[in-house]
Amino acid sequence: MSRQSYRRKKKRQKWIKHTVFITVALISAVAVSLLGIRLYAQIAGAPPLTVTKASVFLDSNGNRIGDHFTAERRYWVELDEISPYLIDATVAVEDKDYYKHNGFDFSRIASALLTDLKTQSMAEGASTITMQLARNLYLSLDKTWTRKIQESFYAYRLETFYNKDEILEGYLNTVNYGHGMYGVEAASRYYFGKSASELTLAESALLAGIPKGPSIYSPINDFEKSTNRQKTILGLMEDQKYISLEEKERAISEKIVLKNEQWTAAKSIAPYFLDVVWQEAEQILKNENKNIREGGWVIKTTLNQAHQQAAEQAIENNMPDSDLQAGLVSMDVKTGQVTALVGGRDYEKSSFNRVTQAARQPGSSIKPFLYAAALENGFSPLTYLNVGETIFTYDNGRATYKPQNVNGQFADGEMSLAQAIAISDNIYAVKTLEKIGYEPFRDMLERFDLNYSKANNPSIALGTIETSLYDLTNAYNTLAAQGKQRQATTILSIEDANGEIVYEYKKPEEKQVISEEDAFILTDMLTGIFDPIYSDYSPATGVSLRPRMTHTYAAKSGTTVSDQWILGFTPSITAGVWNGYDQGKTLSVQEDMAASKQVWIDFMEAINEGKPNETFEAPDGVEGVVVDIETGKLATDACPKQRLIYVKKEDVPTEKCSSTELFDNDSWNNFLDLFPFEAFKNFLN
């Protein structure tokens, strides 16, 4: 062998050794890498397939009325709850070899890599359904090599721990279909107004085309582009033997009917109410050591849809064409459950809830709680006070206060508590506070869970301490419940995503805030605002509503320079209405000032239509007597202003309003006492 041949042989052997070494090293490196990836996957465990889901709201009858979501709207559904057409269409367009590969389509990856190298970009993704699910669940949408590597790792873990159907289910429940809809169920409801299980072939193909570019292929944004892509997908489904030529042609000819407008309308059911529900649910779940942001909750609410519709209609029918705002809330007397709530005229323009978030001066609507304190401190409905124009001094004589009545007039002399509450006399209220003292009033406000002030200012008798309509209506609801404490609530039950009940409403133990006797006496006096017999220098405050009343109501209105209130109840339902301007603008137009009462009576009459009238039942210890309004004495035919008034038995008057009535027995007896002849008296009697 020549020297040259020997050298060539040695070089060949050396090259073979190097090649073998490098090959073995590469194989070993790949094996070690694969083993490392496998070990990493085993140590890291199965990545979760769960995502934040929409929480669903139900009304008191179990009907769906809305939902709540964080950043994305989605409803998780099982694979067998999705139309087979949509499953096939998705696989056909997104990953035709999905059931053949193990998470990576290497031919597509190689093709995409060459394209990316040529364009020096990441124009081609080559992501399989598994890789897309990994991105949807765990990663951002940034087009970087780092994200691609992370995506691959997650895809490997998904394929390791889940089967193909589980991964496909996860993908279909997380992919973006545009307009804030994530997952097939949310998208199907939004675009077509139906569940994903009911989608036709044509609808499925159209829906499957959206994820490639939700803003481009949404049928709402560009119907032509959307349907062109639909035809492409139907062609792919035919090529891949999912459908026949005839099925494709029928689907292409099918008319697509979008129903997103219906969805938009449906989602607006009681939006202010649902905001309150969400806030209450958050606190309930916090008390159960659960985080509401997990989502997937099914929250059964107290909403009565008939009451809600009546509330919305009453506001729509009676509000003037101005910026005047409104709030209305109704509560069940027996339970405290909120049956309807409207926090403003237009939720889309302003989500600020004027029922729960606005704190305003309640004006005279606070007076029933002042008079509740008075009844505990020696007053009765027949307690008379001089209500002429008065200047009050306070702060040890350093300050004065001169209250006015709404019409600027004053009574000539004395007036009873029953009449004062009916016409809302302000002098009577301030004198009452002066007589009973500040502490009893503060104590009463605290018992009814209302705001109070520690300052001794006589104006608080006229409702200058701010409160919310929600809290004030709840206080009236306690009054309606014979003085038994009521706590407003909007939630009946909460289920988690697994169907487990984590909270169920239970009626709390009742606490007697004021006696049943005082609660009834106050209630009876509040029916007086509709009775013209009480009219004096000013009419009874609710007398204008009397022609429209078909049921018995107890109520009280309140007025400030920028607020109008009316709150009232039957034995079954309590409702409160507020009107005013968000910026506290002065109410000066009569149309604005009249709205609250019209809204209230419309609502109360609507929800009670066709129902028998309910009356307030007097408890033991209370007696009804017909009295003369002017004097508070027992009425006779000689006293024209008479009314049945309920008082405690010890407060029943014994003196009659007139001792000169011609046929009054007591008057005759007094007269006959002047004669000494017994026989003569017997003859006349």
Side-chain angles (χ1 to χ4, degrees):
M1 180 182 296
S2 65
R3 187 177 184 84
Q4 192 173 6
S5 298
Y6 177 76
R7 285 180 178 175
R8 280 200 299 269
K9 182 179 178 182
K10 282 292 186 180
K11 283 183 181 180
R12 194 181 304 115
Q13 289 175 344
K14 189 175 181 180
W15 181 83
I16 292 172
K17 281 183 180 182
H18 281 295
T19 302
V20 171
F21 176 78
I22 291 170
T23 301
V24 171
L26 285 172
I27 292 172
S28 299
V30 170
V32 169
S33 298
L34 291 174
L35 181 61
I37 292 172
R38 182 68 181 183
L39 287 172
Y40 159 77
Q42 291 295 336
I43 293 169
L49 287 179
T50 57
V51 293
T52 301
K53 307 165 190 174
S55 294
V56 176
F57 298 109
L58 310 176
D59 68 10
S60 58
N61 292 319
N63 301 308
R64 185 183 296 234
I65 55 173
D67 54 30
H68 188 284
F69 58 102
T70 50
E72 303 165 354
R73 183 181 298 275
R74 42 172 122 239
Y75 312 89
W76 195 280
V77 288
E78 306 292 330
L79 199 63
D80 59 9
E81 297 176 283
I82 301 171
S83 168
Y85 291 130
L86 182 55
I87 295 171
D88 293 342
T90 300
V91 172
V93 69
E94 294 292 341
D95 191 355
K96 65 183 179 64
D97 295 321
Y98 172 69
Y99 284 100
K100 298 176 183 177
H101 60 63
N102 293 316
F104 305 96
D105 188 331
F106 292 105
S107 62
R108 287 178 64 193
I109 290 173
S111 174
L113 186 60
L114 287 173
T115 302
D116 291 346
L117 289 172
K118 287 178 182 177
T119 60
Q120 294 186 342
S121 67
M122 296 193 69
E124 293 289 328
S127 294
T128 61
I129 284 176
T130 308
M131 295 169 76
Q132 289 183 61
L133 174 60
R135 182 176 66 241
N136 293 341
L137 287 177
Y138 318 116
L139 303 168
S140 70
L141 299 178
D142 298 336
K143 289 189 174 184
T144 64
W145 290 109
T146 302
R147 195 220 73 197
K148 267 293 181 187
I149 293 170
Q150 291 176 322
E151 185 181 292
S152 299
F153 274 114
Y154 274 114
Y156 180 78
R157 288 173 62 193
L158 287 169
E159 290 280 348
T160 300
F161 291 100
Y162 298 103
N163 63 43
K164 287 290 186 180
D165 283 348
E166 290 172 324
I167 293 170
L168 184 57
E169 179 182 300
Y171 172 80
L172 288 169
N173 278 289
T174 58
V175 67
N176 180 9
Y177 287 94
H179 304 282
M181 303 296 131
Y182 286 75
V184 294
E185 185 68 11
S188 181
R189 291 185 195 177
Y190 178 73
Y191 289 111
F192 305 115
K194 62 174 73 173
S195 173
S197 62
E198 302 170 349
L199 291 171
T200 65
L201 173 57
E203 293 166 341
S204 296
L206 185 138
L207 208 57
I210 297 174
K212 181 178 177 63
S215 62
I216 300 171
Y217 296 111
S218 161
I220 294 170
N221 293 347
D222 194 322
F223 190 77
E224 185 178 355
K225 283 185 179 178
S226 180
T227 51
N228 286 340
R229 182 157 172 77
Q230 173 208 40
K231 292 171 186 175
T232 299
I233 292 171
L234 289 168
L236 291 172
M237 292 179 74
E238 182 198 0
D239 293 341
Q240 296 172 35
K241 310 300 182 186
Y242 285 113
I243 59 173
S244 65
L245 174 62
E246 291 77 14
E247 288 176 304
K248 182 185 81 170
E249 290 176 346
R250 278 200 303 272
I252 290 173
S253 63
E254 181 181 318
K255 183 180 179 181
I256 295 293
V257 179
L258 299 175
K259 296 185 178 180
N260 58 292
E261 289 184 359
Q262 291 183 17
W263 181 91
T264 301
K267 80 181 180 71
S268 64
I269 293 177
Y272 291 103
F273 173 82
L274 295 183
D275 283 351
V276 178
V277 172
W278 189 253
Q279 292 162 9
E280 187 178 346
E282 185 173 21
Q283 187 58 52
I284 289 172
L285 291 170
K286 185 178 179 181
N287 294 339
E288 299 288 334
N289 295 316
K290 297 183 182 296
N291 189 345
I292 197 168
R293 298 188 70 81
E294 294 173 14
W297 309 105
V298 177
I299 304 173
K300 188 174 183 180
T301 74
T302 59
L303 187 77
N304 181 318
Q305 287 208 57
H307 287 197
Q308 182 67 24
Q309 290 167 8
E312 292 172 357
Q313 195 65 50
I315 289 174
E316 183 179 341
N317 290 347
N318 293 288
M319 294 296 288
D321 186 16
S322 67
D323 293 331
L324 188 71
Q325 275 295 345
L328 185 154
V329 61
S330 61
M331 300 174 184
D332 184 273
V333 172
K334 293 182 175 62
T335 63
Q337 295 169 5
V338 177
T339 65
L341 190 152
V342 181
R345 295 178 69 171
D346 191 334
Y347 186 84
E348 295 297 324
K349 291 181 179 177
S350 171
S351 62
F352 179 72
N353 195 325
R354 293 149 190 92
V355 171
T356 59
Q357 294 176 289
R360 310 288 287 246
Q361 292 184 357
S364 293
S365 60
I366 204 67
K367 288 177 182 176
F369 308 101
L370 170 64
Y371 295 140
L375 291 175
E376 291 184 350
N377 287 272
F379 276 59
S380 85
L382 300 177
T383 297
Y384 280 75
L385 298 176
N386 188 305
V387 290
E389 187 173 4
T390 307
I391 298 175
F392 297 87
T393 60
Y394 65 101
D395 193 19
N396 295 320
R398 289 190 293 266
T400 61
Y401 178 58
K402 186 179 179 181
Q404 299 288 320
N405 290 313
V406 172
N407 62 1
Q409 299 180 32
F410 300 91
D412 292 333
E414 290 192 336
M415 181 177 290
S416 69
L417 171 56
Q419 188 169 16
I421 200 170
I423 68 172
S424 202
D425 186 90
N426 287 337
I427 304 299
Y428 196 104
V430 179
K431 283 196 170 183
T432 299
L433 178 61
E434 190 177 59
K435 284 184 176 295
I436 68 171
Y438 289 92
E439 282 306 318
F441 185 32
R442 273 193 281 265
D443 173 65
M444 188 60 65
L445 293 174
E446 187 175 13
R447 279 193 256 166
F448 277 90
D449 294 322
L450 293 169
N451 295 332
Y452 60 91
S453 170
K454 293 184 178 180
N456 293 340
N457 189 319
S459 67
I460 66 174
L462 306 183
T464 55
I465 303 170
E466 292 182 341
T467 188
S468 71
L469 179 61
Y470 197 74
D471 290 343
L472 192 56
T473 305
N474 187 62
Y476 271 77
N477 207 38
T478 294
L479 187 59
Q482 296 91 41
K484 298 179 180 67
Q485 188 176 51
R486 289 291 177 263
Q487 187 57 53
T489 183
T490 61
I491 297 176
L492 294 176
S493 66
I494 303 176
E495 291 182 12
D496 63 18
N498 299 317
E500 298 287 333
I501 295 178
V502 297
Y503 167 81
E504 195 162 19
Y505 171 80
K506 293 179 182 175
K507 192 174 180 180
E509 291 185 14
E510 290 186 337
K511 175 184 175 184
Q512 199 74 39
V513 176
I514 58 173
S515 69
E516 287 189 30
E517 293 84 359
D518 285 347
F520 175 80
I521 289 170
L522 270 172
T523 296
D524 181 62
M525 286 194 289
L526 291 175
T527 66
I529 80 162
F530 306 106
D531 193 341
I533 198 70
Y534 281 123
S535 298
D536 193 83
Y537 65 87
S538 179
T541 56
V543 74
S544 63
L545 303 181
R546 188 180 178 90
R548 300 185 57 194
M549 290 169 51
T550 60
H551 289 69
T552 301
Y553 302 119
K556 184 72 187 77
S557 59
T559 302
T560 74
V561 294
S562 56
D563 305 274
Q564 289 283 332
W565 306 70
I566 181 168
L567 303 99
F569 50 87
T570 68
S572 297
I573 198 78
T574 300
V577 174
W578 167 88
N579 281 136
Y581 290 93
D582 286 337
Q583 303 304 318
K585 175 183 171 182
T586 299
L587 293 171
S588 57
V589 180
Q590 182 58 35
E591 194 177 17
D592 289 356
M593 298 171 72
S596 59
K597 289 178 182 176
Q598 298 304 319
V599 169
W600 186 84
I601 194 64
D602 259 17
F603 173 75
M604 294 299 279
E605 285 294 305
I607 65 171
N608 287 300
E609 185 178 4
K611 296 179 180 178
N613 184 47
E614 297 178 279
T615 56
F616 301 102
E617 299 295 328
D620 293 339
V622 172
E623 189 172 318
V625 289
V626 178
V627 301
D628 169 45
I629 297 302
E630 301 290 351
T631 64
K633 298 177 182 180
L634 295 174
T636 68
D637 290 343
C639 307
K641 297 188 72 173
Q642 302 179 15
R643 192 182 197 272
L644 175 66
I645 291 181
Y646 286 87
V647 295
K648 295 173 185 175
K649 288 185 177 180
E650 61 266 28
D651 294 324
V652 174
T654 56
E655 189 178 352
K656 294 188 177 180
C657 68
S658 172
S659 60
T660 59
E661 187 179 2
L662 184 61
F663 298 106
D664 179 53
N665 287 333
D666 289 342
S667 298
W668 273 111
N669 288 334
N670 292 335
F671 173 73
L672 293 174
D673 285 341
L674 299 173
F675 296 89
F677 307 107
E678 192 67 32
F680 183 67
K681 292 181 189 179
N682 291 337
F683 173 76
L684 289 176
N685 284 327

